[in-house]
Amino acid sequence: MCGRYALTLPQDAMVQVFAAAPANDLPEGPRYNVCPTTQVPVVRAGGERRALVPMRWGLIPHWYKTPTDGPLLFNARAETVAEKPAFRAACRERRCLIPASGFYEWTKTEDGTRLPWYFKPVEGDVLAFAGIWQDWGPERAPTCAIITCAAGPTMSEVHHREPVTLAEADWPLWLGEVEGKAAPLMRAAPEGRLARHRVGRAVNSNRAEGPELIEPLIDEDDV
């Protein structure tokens, strides 16, 4: 799964990397502890140019009368995203990229203590999560979810799921800018795309913020 991530790339850098026109109301950064239900920058296909826009992380199906009418859908499984009623139309018609600098996952000790890990790109400053989106409610508020898949070699020792991260060459296909089947893109990161290191337990709180959250753990007493 992917339930927490960081985004430290400045807005002008995201605009350049994704060749996207920015909205005026993008959430401010940097952010080192992005949580579900918050507004996040998302790249979607536009007319002549991609758009970088804010969306609520947590897709809300059209039949929800309130955002809390059912489960919080911040992830969608690659194996079933094309079939589940909450996701299938978005997977077919409204795919997006969700920029991140890295993401967190946890292991547990025998006594249940949660130990956080930080995953980041081996090369470059940004990851592009495969996402889907749809509008909800009378105000047509945009909402999104991150696609996850079975863990690959870098991730599997920490967790059995991971967010789908897309190489730049695959962005046009995922966004529907070129013809082709996008389903084969929903796979684990190849070996060499992601690096990982342990970080301090401060990030276990969803209220924590600051660059120290992604720093490699030095104090072994924090285990």
Side-chain angles (χ1 to χ4, degrees):
M1 63 177 293
C2 180
R4 217 85 74 70
Y5 68 91
L7 179 58
T8 63
L9 204 66
Q11 290 181 12
D12 57 350
M14 282 191 285
V15 165
Q16 187 170 20
V17 168
F18 292 99
N24 293 326
D25 54 348
L26 289 168
E28 295 185 2
R31 301 167 70 189
Y32 294 90
N33 194 6
V34 181
C35 303
T37 74
T38 60
Q39 293 288 306
V40 298
V42 173
V43 178
R44 59 172 175 77
E48 298 180 357
R49 190 180 178 190
R50 295 169 185 163
L52 181 65
V53 298
M55 294 190 186
R56 177 193 189 266
W57 182 20
L59 188 141
I60 307 177
H62 65 83
W63 60 83
Y64 279 26
K65 291 183 172 58
T66 72
T68 58
D69 263 6
L72 177 58
L73 305 177
F74 57 91
N75 286 166
R77 295 174 67 93
E79 298 87 345
T80 57
V81 67
E83 305 165 4
K84 293 286 186 180
F87 302 133
R88 61 192 178 198
C91 183
R92 185 173 58 250
E93 303 166 4
R94 294 181 298 279
R95 297 189 296 269
C96 61
L97 304 173
I98 301 176
S101 300
F103 62 93
Y104 302 95
E105 196 49 79
W106 282 261
T107 53
K108 283 187 178 181
T109 62
E110 291 184 359
D111 65 0
T113 302
R114 300 175 73 228
L115 306 179
W117 294 78
Y118 184 65
F119 292 79
K120 64 179 183 178
V122 170
E123 297 181 359
D125 301 317
V126 67
L127 295 170
F129 295 146
I132 54 175
W133 70 276
Q134 77 170 40
D135 292 334
W136 176 81
E139 296 183 357
R140 301 188 60 81
T143 68
C144 65
I146 294 171
I147 308 275
T148 68
C149 64
T154 306
M155 188 76 192
S156 58
E157 293 181 0
V158 176
H159 199 271
H160 65 286
R161 304 289 296 178
E162 70 175 79
V164 173
T165 56
L166 299 175
E168 184 174 356
D170 295 326
W171 297 351
L173 178 55
W174 182 255
L175 291 174
E177 297 169 340
V178 298
E179 294 292 330
K181 294 184 177 181
L185 301 180
M186 293 188 287
R187 59 183 183 270
E191 196 163 2
R193 178 177 294 172
L194 297 174
R196 75 184 189 207
H197 61 258
R198 274 273 283 116
V199 294
R201 286 183 289 171
V203 75
N204 289 5
S205 169
N206 58 15
R207 299 174 184 173
E209 254 300 341
E212 66 277 6
L213 298 183
I214 65 173
E215 291 298 320
L217 182 66
I218 297 176
D219 184 3
E220 293 300 329
D221 291 334
D222 190 37
V223 294

